[in-house]
Amino acid sequence: MNKEPGMTVIVKTVTRLTVGIILMYGIYIVMHGHLSPGGGFAGGVIIALSFVHLMLAYGKEVAFKKLSMPVASVLESMGAILFISVAFLGLVGGYFFFHTLGKGEPFSLLSAYMVLFSNIAISLKVGCGLFLVLITIALAGKEIKK
Amino acid sequence: MTYFLCMIIFAIGLYAVVAKRNMIKIIIGIMVMEYALNMLFVLFGYRQGGRSPILEKAQTITNIVDPLPQALILTAIVIGLATTALMVALAVRIYEKYGTFDITKIRKLRG
Amino acid sequence: MTDINVILMLMIVGSIIAVETRDMLSCVVVVGVVGLFQSLAFLVLKAPDLAIVQLVVEILSLVILLRVIIRKEASEPQHHPDYFPMLVGITLSLLALLFVHPILRELPQFGQPVMRVAKEYIENGMKATGATNLVSAVILDFRAYDTLGEAVVLFTAVCGALIVLRKTGRKKKGEPETEA
């Protein structure tokens, strides 16, 4: 079992069972950011942690198969563009960051659309950015060890 | 009293940054200083017997703690993580070049 | 009020151990413990958003620091102690505490904040934005410029780390991975 990269069988099995739950919890935190504690920053870091968890247990190849570095860069830029476009949408109503997307009904999931879309954009940006940084540091550490 | 305890943590971080030689120790000192400052901001906004700033459905809100410092610190924590990663990247690069984390040996401009 | 003081004292003890331990592995682990205590303190101070973010960020920074120090210098080398920087450090810390003490006495008492700006947000927050989490309403609606600046700083830090650690252009050949 030691031929393939990664940790032991116990760690791999537990990872296979938990990594999906961690990812879903991150998405839940992002989507409910305007109703309950959490939001784009916490959810983004949790999403990054789920991929990091995969990388630590299975080696970098498996993690790259799920989310490769070019895809992560593109997603990070998409987050930035989405956030800026939410901001520019305010120019329709008056000024930068104006609240044009409706407010919806409070205490329901689809409400406060500006906060919702900004949360999604921030979570993409934070998650992919931190994943890229950690992957790069881990690979550099492996370089030194040789 | 509470504010002063918080500033003692800041002073410990300052001591680590000034007096230690190991680069990782210096990064840890900066992290400790960050903790102290974030904590100080949140302490400023605490109200005695207050509630967390999340509204409930059928309740009129009276005493809520100040949400403004919390909102400022929420971004500062994530920025702190990113800058820590940047410092660690620089430390890794210096270790590749000089083979040590000691800042007194880096000054010799080897290579 | 006593519980937050107890947590702060535990954080002070943890920081002293983290700064003074020679073994780098236990040093990093103790920093993680200090961060977890801070997450607990945020929970006591009625800031659940900050508690979640601090917990998760602490785990990630612990992973980063562990990845760096593992298999490297496991402990600080034993050199004869250098008294001059230690003296300077203690002097500077005491001076900082001395200067900050009268300023902290001028501030409002702990537990009675001045909430001139926040009163507006608390009264009109839900009507103006529709979000019931006031912290989210403040960072993404009332003060979205702050978040925009934060995104720029985060992007700059990520770019800096990727550029500092890149390998293309420095190695000879045969390393196709990690071009970002």
Side-chain angles (χ1 to χ4, degrees), chain C:
Chain C
M1 195 159 160
T2 42
D3 44 2
I4 188 70
N5 282 346
V6 169
I7 291 175
L8 277 172
M9 281 173 196
L10 285 173
M11 278 177 71
I12 291 173
V13 174
S15 335
I16 292 175
I17 294 173
V19 167
E20 283 301 326
T21 316
R22 284 207 179 277
D23 186 21
M24 291 309 287
L25 186 61
S26 52
C27 168
V28 168
V29 169
V30 172
V31 167
V33 171
V34 174
L36 293 185
F37 270 124
Q38 197 186 13
S39 167
L40 197 62
F42 284 155
L43 208 55
V44 172
L45 289 173
K46 300 291 190 302
D49 302 84
L50 287 181
I52 294 176
V53 173
Q54 175 67 39
L55 176 67
V56 172
V57 160
E58 191 52 51
I59 294 170
L60 200 49
S61 66
L62 195 62
V63 170
I64 290 176
L65 281 178
L66 274 182
R67 194 68 192 82
V68 172
I69 65 146
I70 207 102
R71 293 171 202 272
K72 301 247 178 74
E73 301 168 13
S75 63
E76 264 182 300
Q78 279 284 355
H79 46 70
H80 54 92
D82 204 353
Y83 288 111
F84 179 65
M86 209 180 289
L87 196 67
V88 171
I90 291 176
T91 314
L92 267 180
S93 306
L94 288 182
L95 272 182
L97 282 183
L98 194 67
F99 284 139
V100 90
H101 186 60
I103 301 171
L104 291 181
R105 286 165 64 101
E106 295 293 321
L107 287 168
Q109 278 291 316
F110 176 66
Q112 287 123 27
V114 183
M115 295 168 66
R116 205 173 298 146
V117 182
K119 199 184 292 174
E120 177 77 19
Y121 292 158
I122 289 172
E123 282 169 0
N124 298 331
M126 199 176 84
K127 267 177 286 177
T129 65
T132 56
N133 185 355
L134 284 178
V135 176
S136 278
V138 170
I139 63 170
L140 291 176
D141 207 320
F142 288 116
R143 301 214 164 193
Y145 279 109
D146 184 21
T147 313
L148 186 63
E150 187 274 342
V152 173
V153 174
L154 186 69
F155 182 71
T156 313
V158 170
C159 274
L162 288 183
I163 289 170
V164 165
L165 282 176
R166 71 174 179 166
K167 296 194 190 60
T168 53
R170 209 175 59 86
K171 296 283 178 184
K172 272 77 70 181
K173 55 185 174 294
E175 278 200 353
E177 80 253 36
T178 71
E179 299 159 356

Side-chain angles (χ1 to χ4, degrees), chain B residues 22-60:
Chain B
N22 196 329
M23 260 190 292
I24 301 294
K25 278 283 174 68
I26 291 175
I27 292 174
I28 282 172
I30 293 176
M31 282 171 70
V32 169
M33 284 160 82
E34 255 178 37
Y35 292 158
L37 285 186
N38 293 345
M39 182 69 104
L40 193 65
F41 266 82
V42 180
L43 284 177
F44 284 159
Y46 181 65
R47 177 190 268 194
Q48 195 73 42
R51 292 181 55 224
S52 53
I54 291 161
L55 305 181
E56 291 285 337
K57 203 167 242 176
Q59 287 178 5
T60 53

